[in-house]
């Protein structure tokens, strides 16, 4: 991480959870850190905490689903703090329920925060990162839910799958540049993701879909007992040092990915032996 020391890092969703863990670790590596988040009070506390570690930390209130607002925040950060070398598209929210029950407003909210904010962040930051010619890195936070579909979590899985695919494409697009790309796919981490509705733009006007209460309780427990954000952040730094595209934190979840891979391989084999496809018409 020495090649990024003295540079500027932007972390969306940086006021808490994985975002704050990443900001802390990047700051310890000698980077100036800008937190972008929708929770002003949490941001102020996070900045105070980071500065207590002698990290140069700043914060700006930002709705990352708003392309103009995020673009303005990124441009201002680069202008005020210096060369932007690190972008963590980390902001994320979650909502559950059966697909036919999830309100369209919830779909739009989740797509806006989890997927479109990554698009907005890359579109705004990448030209600035290219311009100075220094080494850079983009970390997009997805999830193990972006690798395996989970019933009752379709909106979350869909957006996280999109983040994985975008990261794979961007990695290839930037292969000849000094800018690297990684996609973080954590499992259960001790954050407040299960309390995402606190930041819903219209929580009272749009009732949450009613999912399986036992599943919701089990997920909450897994999250509360999950890996610490600091451990995730340390894993991210380790993976960047070795140039990894996919950053996994929970190898015990590999069997679920293996099952999906086997199912895909079997489906391809079925196509290979398909009588319907044999004619080539």
């Amino acid at each position: 991480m020495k090649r990024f020391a003295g540079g500027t890092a932007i972390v969306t969703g940086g006021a808490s959870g994985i975002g704050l863990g990443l900001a802390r670790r990047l700051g310890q590596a000698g980077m100036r850190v800008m937190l972008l988040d929708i929770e002003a009070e949490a941001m102020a506390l996070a900045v105070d905490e980071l500065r207590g570690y002698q990290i140069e930390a700043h914060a700006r209130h930002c709705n990352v689903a708003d392309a103009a607002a995020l673009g303005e925040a990124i441009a201002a950060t680069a202008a005020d703090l210096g060369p932007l070398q690190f972008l963590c598209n980390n902001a994320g929210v979650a909502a559950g329920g059966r697909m036919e029950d999830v309100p369209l407003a919830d779909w739009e909210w989740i797509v806006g925060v989890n997927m479109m904010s990554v698009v907005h962040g890359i579109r705004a930051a990448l030209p600035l990162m290219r311009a100075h010619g220094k080494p850079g890195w983009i970390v997009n936070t997805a999830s193990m839910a972006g690798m395996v579909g989970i019933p009752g979590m379709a909106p979350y899985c869909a957006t996280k799958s999109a983040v994985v695919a975008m990261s794979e494409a961007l990695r290839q697009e930037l292969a000849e540049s000094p800018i690297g790309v990684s996609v973080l796919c954590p499992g259960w981490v001790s954050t407040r993701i299960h309390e995402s509705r606190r930041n819903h733009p219209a929580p009272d006007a749009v009732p949450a879909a009613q999912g399986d209460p036992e599943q919701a309780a089990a997920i909450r427990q897994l999250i509360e007992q999950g890996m610490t954000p600091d451990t995730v952040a340390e894993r991210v730094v380790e993976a960047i040092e070795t140039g990894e595209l996919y950053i996994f934190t929970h190898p015990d979840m590999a069997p679920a990915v293996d099952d999906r891979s086997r199912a895909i391989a079997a489906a391809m084999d079925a196509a290979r032996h398909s009588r319907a496809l044999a004619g080539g018409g």
Side-chain angles (χ1 to χ4, degrees):
M1 297 294 286
K2 291 181 179 179
R3 63 193 186 277
F4 304 119
T8 299
I10 289 177
V11 183
T12 68
S16 62
I18 293 174
L20 181 54
L22 289 169
R24 185 182 300 112
R25 186 61 183 83
L26 296 177
Q28 291 169 343
M31 303 191 72
R32 295 180 292 277
V33 180
M34 171 62 79
L35 310 181
L36 302 181
D37 204 290
I38 203 168
E39 294 190 289
E41 184 177 347
M43 274 195 303
L45 293 173
V47 167
D48 286 345
E49 177 189 328
L50 294 174
R51 289 177 178 172
Y53 290 108
Q54 307 305 310
I55 293 170
E56 183 180 341
H58 307 266
R60 179 174 176 136
H61 182 269
C62 183
N63 175 7
V64 297
D66 183 328
L70 183 53
E72 180 183 349
I74 289 174
T77 298
D80 295 343
L81 302 184
L84 177 60
Q85 290 183 259
F86 223 99
L87 173 66
C88 296
N89 286 308
N90 171 77
V93 294
R98 295 183 305 176
M99 280 191 66
E100 69 266 31
D101 295 334
V102 177
L104 283 178
D106 279 6
W107 275 96
E108 291 163 357
W109 170 51
I110 295 170
V111 168
V113 177
N114 291 6
M115 188 183 86
M116 292 309 299
S117 73
V118 177
V119 176
H120 303 327
I122 291 168
R123 284 172 55 84
L126 190 52
L128 300 174
M129 297 173 76
R130 287 185 185 275
H132 57 60
K134 296 177 181 290
W137 211 277
I138 297 172
V139 176
N140 299 321
T141 299
S143 168
M144 284 303 294
M147 293 286 171
V148 180
I150 302 170
M153 294 180 63
Y156 188 74
C157 294
T159 54
K160 293 306 184 178
S161 295
V163 172
V164 171
M166 285 192 289
S167 302
E168 291 169 335
L170 187 62
R171 171 89 165 207
Q172 295 179 66
E173 292 176 8
L174 297 179
E176 302 302 320
S177 82
I179 302 170
V181 177
S182 294
V183 58
L184 172 60
C185 298
W188 306 113
V189 182
S190 182
T191 70
R192 296 181 66 194
I193 188 71
H194 56 296
E195 299 173 3
S196 295
R197 205 162 189 83
R198 70 188 188 277
N199 291 321
H200 194 290
D204 297 325
V206 183
Q210 297 302 309
D212 181 343
E214 291 187 5
Q215 181 191 34
I219 288 176
R220 184 185 186 95
Q221 183 176 30
L222 286 167
I223 291 171
E224 291 175 346
Q225 297 175 354
M227 182 177 288
T228 67
D230 285 340
T231 300
V232 175
E234 192 63 39
R235 172 69 185 117
V236 169
V237 168
E238 177 185 63
I240 288 171
E241 287 293 335
T242 54
E244 297 171 38
L245 168 59
Y246 308 102
I247 305 178
F248 292 116
T249 59
H250 290 69
D252 57 306
M253 293 183 172
V257 179
D258 292 341
D259 287 346
R260 185 187 191 211
S261 297
R262 281 191 291 269
I264 291 171
M268 292 298 291
D269 191 56
R272 190 175 299 113
H273 296 92
S274 168
R275 288 180 293 177
L277 299 177

